[in-house]
Amino acid sequence: MTLLAERLTQLSETRIDVVTFDALGLDPEQVQDEIVDVAAGPLAPLIAEAVVHAVNTGDSTWRRVVELFPRSFTQQRSLLALSSSIETILGSSAATESLGKMLNAALLDGLQETISSGPLLAAARLEGAVRLAVSKAVHPYHVWGVLQELKVDGPDDFLERLPRILGLALDCWAQTDTTVATAVRNLLKQLATDEAADVDAMFELGCDRLRASFAAATLAESSTHLNEARQLFAAAEAAEECRDDAAAYHAACDAILAFAAGNYAQVSEAAEKLETVLERRAAWLWGTHQQAWLLPRRSVELAWNGLLLQLQAASSILTADVWMTPWSALDAVLAAYRSSRTVQPLGADIATPGLAALIEPAVEDTLIRRESFLNILRHAAGNPETHPQRLFDADTAATILSRIESRQTNSQRNESTVISDEGDPGGASVDDRLYRLAPNLIRQAGLDFARRLAADIDDTRLATIEGLAHDSDIARLRATDPIIVPLLDSLVTSLCGHPDFIGEVRHTFSALVVQTLLFLKSRGDLTRTTLFGKGKKGDPPYDYRRKPENGQRQALEDDLQRDFHGWLQAGPLHNVVRVEPVDLAMGRADVMIHFGSLRYLIEIKKDSTDNSREHIEGTYLAQAAEYSNTNAPFGQLLVLDLTDKKASTGTLRLNEATWIAKHRPTGAREDRYVLTGILAGNRITPSTYSK
């Protein structure tokens, strides 16, 4: 043991408040010779204390020792020592500013190599570097470069800590640097399909969508982003038990969208859920160590609770038959109206309408319908001095009245205008109605379909349809698991790029996509249960996914066809679709799905040479797409992968083996979309790879 290590150990056994270099009783030169090696070990947190003390007191005697300390971070192999040292340094603004550049360089030096050799250490170092950049102790360009070069193919120990770090980056830079934000979002989307990090990644993507909603310039954008955030938070909440942060944000999104739609009962339900979640979360975290850099998010959760309480109070007032204390009622409604511009998620820009675009029109609409309450507001705005406490918010009241009068004037003008075929002057308000009352309907069926559906129905019926759309989304999330949810959302997002993916086509093909994903996932688990092959005379039954044993034939396309056909016939779609094999006598192994007049063909192939996307699309995509020429331009392609699994050292994950492929024949003007899935065959047991 070196002399420095011995003195530090002795100091740690005494009851001093702070370790200092002076207390060591050693010359600076002696400490200087040993500090890098000792600080690379378990005594690093004690040295960090001494470093912070020297910087805070401005003691120049130990300046060279202090400057050498960051070098130890590249050699540190203890996660606890590294994390504790970083916390100690970042806990001092003077030390952070003084050592920021040197510390940043040390944390990022050789990070890529450390990801493989010490994934937890690499995550702690990256987290420290991001926190340095976020605190503006260093310029962020170096860490931006590292984030843009990250690959989501590292060890699980690194990947499972990565979403929180990327979320911190988005909190700070989502609206200031588009390139970095895009790279970080793409990383999170990839992590959302990785079993080690999927739940955390979905939560961070939900926070990002929430920020986008608050920074949106229009009601349509705000509603769309907020609805996307709700879906991601709901997926994270459903995927992992006791994920209270996701449950809290899910409740907040539910309440805001419900308030915008005038569903005040749902506002109350969401507010009660949020209150329960936050109470439980506070109880579970009581007495536990909480890193300082995570506390702002906790504060935001509490701010959401305050907003929801205001919305809940305003909801009960706006639906009341009579107001016994009109001043109190006005104060509550104005507080809810005003708070829409003061509560925000981390990183959001409140200079844009954002949440206000949803909440403010909802208040105004209700006041327009409740003429008596509107008269009370007019009287109060004209006589604010009669308020009992003289604290009436006359400015907000005047703003509301001005906006209501403007809307009523525009409405009267539009009613007297002859609408031509060229456009509808009230079109924007029609869309606003849909985005406030039925954002899920728009998401599932498309804006054009929603417009046609909503044209001849009142708000109550539109809200009922929206409730069914929302319930179907939540049911889907609860019925699946973390790997299916993000993959399904990704595939549906890709399918939404086709203009024909609306209405009945969207509902039917999406239902088929769900069953195909569940089939591929179930068949991807190589269990001891048997999936039988053909089983004819001289051809004994066997699991067509496994590598054939001596005397067994290779698996055929119709093995996969028969299995998938049986899956659909036994599944939840059996009573609403007609499933039939195609031309089995001619040697083809396909499945045709009929939803009334709509039909989708699943082309089934086998390949023993190459399972890459490029090869699969180049060889089979044109044929699979050709069958959609006389019906909806959507189909499926399933390929039984019979490549050598020993040579490939494993099989593809579900999210790597499933994607939406596009094909456009020469001279055609419209793409065909084909859900493509690879099912691993010729498989060997996992233990074989170790032999």
Side-chain angles (χ1 to χ4, degrees):
M1 180 183 291
T2 64
L3 189 56
L4 174 58
E6 183 179 340
R7 294 292 177 85
L8 284 169
T9 303
Q10 293 172 353
L11 282 178
S12 68
E13 295 172 352
T14 64
R15 295 191 175 182
I16 61 173
D17 293 332
V18 178
V19 175
T20 67
F21 286 125
D22 290 332
L24 293 173
L26 299 175
D27 294 333
E29 292 78 11
Q30 194 169 7
V31 176
Q32 186 175 312
D33 292 338
E34 300 178 5
I35 187 171
V36 175
D37 291 337
V38 175
L43 296 174
L46 299 178
I47 298 180
E49 283 188 26
V51 166
V52 168
H53 180 269
V55 174
N56 288 345
T57 58
D59 189 348
S60 60
T61 305
W62 303 97
R63 179 177 177 181
R64 179 56 181 162
V65 172
V66 168
E67 292 175 347
L68 286 172
F69 175 66
R71 295 185 185 181
S72 65
F73 282 71
T74 59
Q75 304 173 32
Q76 181 60 257
R77 293 296 175 265
S78 167
L79 176 63
L80 182 61
L82 178 66
S83 300
S84 181
S85 299
I86 291 175
E87 286 296 327
T88 300
I89 297 297
L90 294 182
S92 165
S93 57
T96 302
E97 182 178 353
S98 175
L99 298 176
K101 292 181 180 179
M102 292 177 285
L103 187 59
N104 188 60
L107 290 171
L108 296 177
D109 183 28
L111 183 66
Q112 291 295 338
E113 294 76 12
T114 308
I115 291 175
S116 300
S117 61
L120 289 176
L121 287 167
R125 286 169 59 176
L126 179 59
E127 178 185 298
V130 171
R131 290 173 60 187
L132 274 173
V134 167
S135 68
K136 300 183 179 179
V138 297
H139 291 299
Y141 308 118
H142 193 181
V143 75
W144 284 356
V146 171
L147 291 176
Q148 289 176 280
E149 293 174 3
L150 280 178
K151 304 295 182 184
V152 186
D153 56 2
D156 286 351
D157 284 342
F158 177 74
L159 296 183
E160 67 183 11
R161 293 191 63 179
L162 191 53
R164 186 178 66 173
I165 301 171
L166 297 177
L168 173 63
L170 282 180
D171 283 345
C172 184
W173 301 311
Q175 297 180 47
T176 58
D177 192 279
T178 305
T179 303
V180 174
T182 300
V184 171
R185 289 189 187 101
N186 289 336
L187 285 172
L188 284 171
K189 289 176 182 177
Q190 295 176 58
L191 288 170
T193 63
D194 187 282
E195 190 173 359
D198 46 13
V199 176
D200 288 339
M202 286 188 286
F203 177 80
E204 297 299 341
L205 286 170
C207 291
D208 182 57
R209 292 297 82 202
L210 197 59
R211 269 188 299 270
S213 175
F214 276 69
T218 66
L219 186 152
E221 292 176 356
S222 180
S223 174
T224 299
H225 294 320
L226 190 60
N227 193 52
E228 291 171 350
R230 175 171 65 174
Q231 301 303 319
L232 288 162
F233 291 134
E237 180 186 3
E240 185 173 299
E241 188 178 0
C242 303
R243 188 67 199 238
D244 281 339
D245 52 355
Y249 280 106
H250 182 198
C253 293
D254 270 347
I256 294 168
L257 289 168
F259 191 88
N263 188 342
Y264 299 132
Q266 190 174 336
V267 173
S268 180
E269 180 182 336
E272 290 175 2
K273 175 185 175 181
L274 180 60
E275 184 177 4
T276 300
V277 167
L278 291 181
E279 286 179 356
R280 184 173 64 227
R281 184 163 165 78
W284 284 354
L285 294 176
W286 179 262
T288 61
H289 172 68
Q290 299 294 309
Q291 292 181 316
W293 69 280
L294 293 176
L295 294 181
R297 282 197 172 182
R298 296 286 311 283
S299 300
V300 170
E301 291 174 14
L302 297 176
W304 280 109
N305 190 40
L307 171 63
L308 262 64
L309 290 175
Q310 291 177 338
L311 294 183
Q312 187 179 24
S315 299
S316 61
I317 290 168
L318 292 173
T319 55
D321 294 327
V322 66
W323 302 276
M324 300 303 294
T325 55
W327 282 111
S328 297
L330 283 174
D331 288 341
V333 172
L334 295 182
Y337 192 93
R338 186 174 58 248
S339 65
S340 65
R341 293 183 179 269
T342 58
V343 179
Q344 58 175 322
L346 290 178
D349 180 7
I350 60 173
T352 52
L355 180 62
L358 286 168
I359 291 181
E360 291 176 355
V363 174
E364 295 160 8
D365 286 349
T366 304
L367 292 178
I368 290 173
R369 291 193 298 269
R370 305 296 300 274
E371 184 66 27
S372 57
F373 197 90
L374 186 56
N375 288 333
I376 293 174
L377 180 63
R378 289 193 178 103
H379 175 79
N383 304 275
E385 70 283 355
T386 59
H387 190 285
Q389 280 79 41
R390 302 292 179 90
L391 296 175
F392 182 67
D393 188 352
D395 292 338
T396 300
T399 299
I400 294 176
L401 289 172
S402 175
R403 287 168 58 102
I404 287 176
E405 290 171 359
S406 176
R407 290 176 58 177
Q408 290 175 328
T409 301
N410 290 336
S411 177
Q412 293 170 358
R413 184 183 300 117
N414 290 337
E415 289 176 0
S416 62
T417 301
V418 177
I419 302 174
S420 69
D421 294 336
E422 299 299 321
D424 178 1
S429 62
V430 171
D431 286 356
D432 285 354
R433 173 180 177 242
L434 280 169
Y435 278 108
R436 282 201 301 110
L437 300 180
N440 264 298
L441 178 62
I442 295 173
R443 180 173 179 269
Q444 293 188 20
L447 181 58
D448 290 338
F449 181 84
R451 283 170 176 160
R452 293 194 297 271
L453 182 64
D456 299 320
I457 61 177
D458 58 21
D459 287 356
T460 301
R461 292 180 180 178
L462 183 59
T464 301
I465 295 173
E466 167 66 6
L468 294 174
H470 174 61
D471 290 345
S472 70
D473 258 1
I474 296 303
R476 185 199 71 198
L477 293 171
R478 289 174 179 168
T480 56
D481 55 62
I483 193 170
I484 294 292
V485 170
L487 179 56
L488 178 59
D489 285 344
S490 173
L491 295 175
V492 171
T493 299
S494 298
L495 289 168
C496 286
H498 199 293
D500 289 351
F501 191 65
I502 58 173
E504 190 71 14
V505 172
R506 179 183 178 114
H507 291 303
T508 55
F509 194 68
S510 294
L512 179 58
V513 169
V514 171
Q515 291 308 307
T516 303
L517 289 183
L518 293 175
F519 169 78
L520 292 172
K521 182 179 186 299
S522 75
R523 296 309 185 251
D525 291 328
L526 193 61
T527 63
R528 291 186 178 274
T529 57
T530 300
L531 297 175
F532 293 117
K534 269 187 126 175
K536 297 187 296 186
K537 184 177 180 181
D539 182 16
Y542 75 106
D543 187 338
Y544 71 90
R545 302 170 303 167
R546 293 181 179 270
K547 183 177 181 179
E549 298 178 0
N550 292 335
Q552 286 182 331
R553 62 169 174 80
Q554 282 282 350
L556 302 173
E557 294 171 358
D558 55 349
D559 293 324
L560 174 56
Q561 182 273 341
R562 184 180 296 100
D563 190 20
F564 185 57
H565 178 262
W567 171 275
L568 291 174
Q569 291 284 30
L573 299 180
H574 72 92
N575 60 342
V576 294
V577 301
R578 182 162 57 90
V579 185
E580 60 183 24
V582 180
D583 291 339
L584 281 181
M586 299 293 291
R588 295 183 57 187
D590 303 323
V591 176
M592 185 76 76
I593 312 295
H594 297 263
F595 289 86
S597 61
L598 288 172
R599 70 174 188 268
Y600 308 106
L601 185 124
I602 293 89
E603 181 71 22
I604 297 179
K605 297 291 186 181
K606 67 179 178 69
D607 197 295
S608 58
T609 59
D610 190 349
N611 65 359
S612 68
R613 291 193 180 191
E614 294 77 12
H615 173 76
I616 296 298
E617 291 188 10
T619 308
Y620 307 116
L621 181 58
Q623 180 184 351
E626 191 70 12
Y627 296 115
S628 63
N629 283 346
T630 58
N631 211 279
F634 302 95
Q636 296 191 356
L637 168 64
L638 298 183
V639 179
L640 182 60
D641 168 22
L642 299 179
T643 57
D644 185 348
K645 298 303 180 292
K646 184 71 172 179
S648 63
T649 67
T651 58
L652 298 173
R653 284 174 54 83
L654 179 60
N655 58 290
E656 298 168 331
T658 312
W659 70 98
I660 300 296
K662 302 178 185 179
H663 176 70
R664 180 179 296 189
T666 302
R669 294 192 298 272
E670 185 176 285
D671 288 327
R672 282 75 158 162
Y673 281 23
V674 178
L675 171 68
T676 306
I678 301 174
L679 178 64
N682 206 26
R683 295 184 66 177
I684 55 181
T685 59
S687 60
T688 307
Y689 294 108
S690 299
K691 297 178 181 178

